[in-house]
Amino acid sequence: MSRLDGKVALISGAARGIGGETARLMALAGAKVVVADMLDDRARQTVAAINEAGGQAEFVHLDVTKEADWLAAIAVATQKFGKLDILVNNAGVFIGKGIEEISLDEWDRLVAVNMTGVFLGTRLAAPALREAAKASEHGSAIVNLASIAGIVGSQLDPLYSMTKGGVTLFTKSAALEFARKGYRIRVNSIHPGVIQTDMGEQTFVSRARRAGTNDTAAIRQVVTDSVPWGRMGVPTDIAKGIVFLASDDAGYMTGSGLVVDGGMTAT
Ligand SMILES: NC(=O)c1ccc[n+]([C@@H]2O[C@H](COP(=O)([O-])OP(=O)(O)OC[C@H]3O[C@@H](n4cnc5c(N)ncnc54)[C@H](O)[C@@H]3O)[C@@H](O)[C@H]2O)c1
C-alpha cells in the first residue's frame, strides 16, 4: 500500500463503511486522520479503534451541508495536527427510488449531501490544502467519492446517478481550476461498484422492492453473479484506491477517475 507518512487527512462520512475503512488504512499508512461524520457515537468508535491500534485520529462532528461545520472540521486538522494535506469527500446518501417515486424533499437531500457537500468541502478546504502543498513535492490531494453510477446510467436511482455524474465532472473541473491557479492541489475521483456497506445494503433493499420481493438474499446473489470478478466489493477494496490517489504515488494524477468495480463497467 502507498505511504502517507507525515500527512494529515480529513475524511467526511468516516464513521463507517468506505470512509471508516479509509480512515483506518490512512492511519496505518502513517497519516494523522480527522474522522468527520454526523454519526457521532459511531465516529468516536472508529477514532478509538484507530488510536488503540497505534494510529492518530481525532473526531469532529460534520454535516457536510453546513459551512460552519466544515470550517470547524478544517480547524481541527490545522490546529490539532498542524496542517491539511488530504481531503476525502466521502459522505454520501442514496435514496433508491425512480424518477416518478422520489419526493422533492428526498431529491433536495441527495443534492445537499452528494453535491453541495462536495462543493463546500472543496472550497473551504482549499486554503489549507494550498498552504500544505507549498511544502510537498507532489502537492496536496482531494479524493471525491463518485460511483460507477457517475459514469454509466443507474437503473436503480437515476437521481443518485445525476449527483454522482456531477461529482465526476466537478472533479475534473476543480482539478483544472486549481492547476490553472497554481494551487498544486490534485483532484481525483474514485468510482466504486457495488460495495458491502450500509449503503450497499440499501441498494439491495431497493432492488428487492422493485422486484416485488423482500428476499434480499436472492437479490444479493443476482448482484454477485453480475460482477465479472465474481464477488461484491468490500470497503477495503475502495479504501486502498483512495490511499493511492491521496499519496505521492499518484503525484502526476489530477482530474482522473479511478474505477474499482470488479469489471462491472467493462461489459
Ligand atoms: N456502497 C456502495 O456500493 C457505493 C458505491 C458507489 C459509491 N459509493 C459512495 O461511497 C461513499 C461512502 O458510501 P458507503 O457505502 O460507505 O455508505 P455508508 O452509508 O456506509 O456511509 C456513508 C457515511 O456518510 C455519512 N453521511 C451521510 N450524510 C452525511 C452528512 N450530511 N454529513 C456528514 N456525513 C454524512 C453517514 O453518516 C455514513 O457514515 C458515498 O459517497 C457513496 O455514494 C458507495
Side-chain angles (χ1 to χ4, degrees), residues 16 18 37-39 62-64 90 146 160 164 193 195 197:
R16 68 181 190 198
I18 292 168
D37 205 298
M38 292 169 69
L39 298 176
L62 170 69
D63 176 347
V64 293
N90 166 77
Y160 174 82
K164 293 300 186 178
I195 312 302
T197 62

Side-chain angles (χ1 to χ4, degrees), residues 12-19 36-39 62-65 89-93 109 113-114 145-148 160 164 192-200 202-203:
S12 72
R16 68 181 190 198
I18 292 168
D37 205 298
M38 292 169 69
L39 298 176
L62 170 69
D63 176 347
V64 293
T65 68
N89 280 312
N90 166 77
V93 290
R109 179 89 189 127
V113 178
N114 294 4
L145 268 287
S147 169
I148 55 171
Y160 174 82
K164 293 300 186 178
V194 183
I195 312 302
Q196 294 178 68
T197 62
D198 291 65
M199 186 185 288
Q202 242 186 304
T203 69

